[in-house]
Amino acid sequence: MDATDLRILDQLQRDASLTNQALAASVHVSPATCMRRVRKLIEAGVIERQVAILSTERLGAGLTAIVEVTLDAQSADHMQAFEMRVGNAAEVQQCYRVSSGPDFVMILQVADMAAYQTLAHRLFAGDANVRNVRTFFSVKRSKFSPAISLPSAAA
């Protein structure tokens, strides 16, 4: 990956809706070169997917919950079974296996407290292997960015 690829990635992180022509102009390459490089980045798995970031408030999903879950049994099978169950819930935006503390930390996006309680009952209360659930509710989102920091050549 060279400086041009990094500039392309930087621009796509900012706005993936750019046309190929606009993207090419912003990174100072021809449209054909730009398209070829983007395809290679996709094929290499560097670009996993391109998505739209939606407004949680305008779509009625204004409650963010950060949830810590500790399982009773932490065998590979138990961990994988839990990941599969929460992975199938659309409200679970992110799920991480973590060390030194709970087994999992998740970010949930739901409409309101009633929706959280319904989801928590479905995901956690019905699982005999869930030992502890600790939930924090966001009162204000001061920053949100799915972008990752790229090497300085992207500038």
Side-chain angles (χ1 to χ4, degrees):
M1 213 171 343
D2 64 11
T4 300
D5 289 331
L6 293 172
R7 286 195 310 271
I8 289 170
L9 292 171
D10 185 53
Q11 286 299 314
L12 288 175
Q13 283 193 124
R14 295 168 195 256
D15 185 359
S17 71
L18 291 172
T19 65
N20 183 59
Q21 286 75 15
L23 179 60
S26 71
V27 299
H28 311 294
V29 296
S30 72
T33 297
C34 186
M35 185 172 286
R36 185 178 68 252
R37 284 177 176 259
V38 169
R39 281 190 191 131
K40 283 184 180 180
L41 291 166
I42 291 169
E43 290 167 4
V46 175
I47 298 174
E48 291 182 12
R49 58 191 166 136
Q50 296 174 329
V51 299
I53 298 173
L54 307 179
S55 169
T56 56
E57 291 80 20
R58 290 187 180 187
L59 292 170
L63 182 63
T64 303
I66 299 95
V67 181
E68 298 177 347
V69 175
T70 304
L71 301 181
D72 235 359
Q74 289 90 10
S75 71
D77 289 344
H78 285 102
M79 302 286 260
Q80 188 173 26
F82 182 80
E83 285 174 325
M84 288 181 66
R85 186 172 61 260
V86 300
N88 289 328
E91 302 90 343
V92 178
Q93 289 187 317
Q94 300 174 54
C95 179
Y96 301 93
R97 270 193 208 188
V98 296
S99 62
S100 185
D103 296 312
F104 295 93
V105 173
M106 296 176 286
I107 308 296
L108 312 179
Q109 196 69 46
V110 294
D112 52 27
M113 188 59 72
Y116 168 76
Q117 290 173 329
T118 299
L119 178 66
H121 181 73
R122 187 175 86 233
L123 293 180
F124 313 132
D127 185 346
N129 193 38
V130 172
R131 179 182 346 147
N132 189 44
V133 176
R134 185 173 165 192
T135 305
F136 305 88
F137 296 99
S138 172
V139 295
K140 177 186 176 197
R141 180 169 80 180
S142 54
K143 180 180 180 183
F144 171 81
S145 174
I148 62 169
S149 182
L150 296 170
S152 61

